[in-house]
Amino acid sequence: TSRERLAVAGEVVVALAPLDDSAAAQLFVKRARDAGGAPAYEPAAVASIVRKLEGIPLAIELAAARTRLMPLADLARRLASGHGVLAKAGLRDGGRHATLASAIAWSWGLLSHDEQLALARCSVFAGSFSLEMAERVIDAPDALELVAGLRDKSLVHATEGGLALYVSIRDFAAERLRELGLEAAAREAHARALGDLARRVNAWRQVLGTLPDAAAQSALRRDKENLAATVAYARELGAADLHAELAMTAAQLFAYSGETCVAELSHALASLPERDSERRGLVRR
């Protein structure tokens, strides 16, 4: 078995998906008891933990080992807040898979430099993403082949919404992106790619005589998590036009609550230069 396709004659690939919620919960409870944690069974806390771990068996085993130190509710809270509770939790047999981080680091070390850059850049996506979006963010002539290579190595997986990274892989890749000094460039590329889609949707909504841009609107509906994260980044970036386009689309597609939509859009409009006064009126209408 391997995490990577071998591309040899006669190869049959059987992709192993993560555990479903029921199997993941059973594994967690068994491993917690094996580790000596023997927690009282709390279905809601266990469900929260295994969902956060996305059904990945290694992550579940590592989290189960932490029940020796903390109650289930505390473990669930720490995982939800992004605390690195799995970083030092080792398995009984040690080796390169002794921690989730070391397992991912081992896979990272087998990538080419260009594949590492591509995976790191894809960590800016908050949820699933399309191949076209990945190509914009990776910004390389062979982006398609790089994504295909990451998919073959099981570092990118397919979802109903397109492509995605498991949270553990995304967090690891995001740290590498920061170390490489490429976070700002990748996040801006992501924001501007979404901004282009938003601009097409907003242009149709403002000029009712044109046909709706169904492709752009469908893409943004699938990208609600990314859209919400990018509105905040566009505000930090100080890109008033981009912020306004994204905030308008977020309001229209209900990615935000009404109060947040008003606050973001008001801030974006106030930041537009005075020469855009005509555009302000159009946006407000």
Side-chain angles (χ1 to χ4, degrees), residues 56-67:
I56 298 174
L58 177 58
I60 291 169
E61 293 205 18
L62 294 171
R66 288 304 195 195
T67 61

Side-chain angles (χ1 to χ4, degrees), residues 73-182:
D74 193 20
L75 177 58
R77 179 184 59 77
R78 287 170 178 264
L79 286 170
S81 63
H83 283 57
V85 296
L86 308 183
K88 301 295 183 181
L91 295 178
R92 290 164 297 196
D93 57 355
R96 70 169 183 261
H97 293 147
T99 68
L100 187 60
S102 64
I104 298 171
W106 179 73
S107 295
W108 170 271
L110 297 178
L111 299 177
S112 69
H113 177 66
D114 287 346
E115 287 175 327
Q116 289 179 346
L117 291 179
L119 181 60
R121 284 178 171 270
C122 285
S123 70
V124 301
F125 292 109
S128 62
F129 53 91
S130 67
L131 176 59
E132 292 75 15
M133 277 288 174
E135 290 178 300
R136 287 285 300 270
V137 169
I138 292 171
D139 191 27
D142 57 344
L144 175 61
E145 294 306 318
L146 291 171
V147 174
L150 294 173
R151 175 74 178 93
D152 286 344
K153 294 175 175 66
S154 305
L155 293 169
V156 170
H157 66 277
T159 70
E160 291 183 3
L163 302 169
L165 305 182
Y166 291 118
V167 172
S168 52
I169 293 174
R170 187 177 71 219
D171 290 351
F172 180 93
E175 184 61 32
R176 303 291 81 74
L177 186 68
R178 286 189 287 272
E179 291 175 356
L180 292 165
L182 299 174

Side-chain angles (χ1 to χ4, degrees), residues 201-234:
V201 170
N202 294 335
W204 164 65
R205 289 181 178 275
Q206 293 167 7
V207 184
L208 298 179
T210 63
L211 292 175
D213 196 330
Q217 184 157 310
S218 295
L220 285 172
R221 283 191 181 280
R222 290 193 306 269
D223 265 343
K224 281 187 177 180
E225 288 178 287
N226 285 303
L227 180 59
T230 305
V231 170
Y233 179 67

